[in-house]
Amino acid sequence: MAVAHAAYHARLLARARRIVIDPDLAEDVVQEAFLRAWRACDSFDPEGGPLVNWLLVITANTAIDMVKARVRRPARPARTPPRPASATSTG
């Protein structure tokens, strides 16, 4: 997998960025895709096509999963600290 990571990381990142747009999320997608590939390496069949194609499919599926997760649970806005009571207020 280290060799595959070195050889295909940029290509997988480009695929992820086309789907998720956000560069930081795309990095997360590629990392998760490699984890999924590692866990499913027994299912890779070299007769089915090149390794890179298998990894690209996993990356696309991972990206779609992450986009769907964000739609279901949108990022929460950063909390703003409560405003202090102003010195000019009466009361």
Side-chain angles (χ1 to χ4, degrees):
M1 272 307 195
V3 172
H5 186 274
Y8 304 126
H9 180 268
R11 194 162 170 193
L12 301 182
L13 185 59
R15 171 68 56 94
R17 286 190 71 174
R18 279 193 295 274
I19 297 169
V20 302
I21 310 302
D22 179 351
D24 293 328
L25 183 58
E27 285 287 352
D28 292 344
V29 165
V30 172
Q31 181 177 0
E32 178 64 23
F34 273 109
L35 285 172
R36 289 183 184 188
W38 176 256
R39 291 181 191 127
C41 64
D42 289 344
S43 69
F44 174 67
D45 179 8
E47 292 182 14
L51 176 64
V52 67
N53 292 354
W54 186 68
L55 291 171
L56 286 166
V57 169
I58 293 171
T59 301
N61 289 339
T62 303
I64 291 166
D65 290 347
M66 287 192 174
V67 168
K68 286 179 180 178
R70 286 223 169 162
V71 168
R72 282 191 301 262
R73 186 172 18 128
R76 293 172 42 183
R79 294 184 123 205
T80 56
R83 292 188 287 177
S86 73
T88 59
S89 67
T90 59

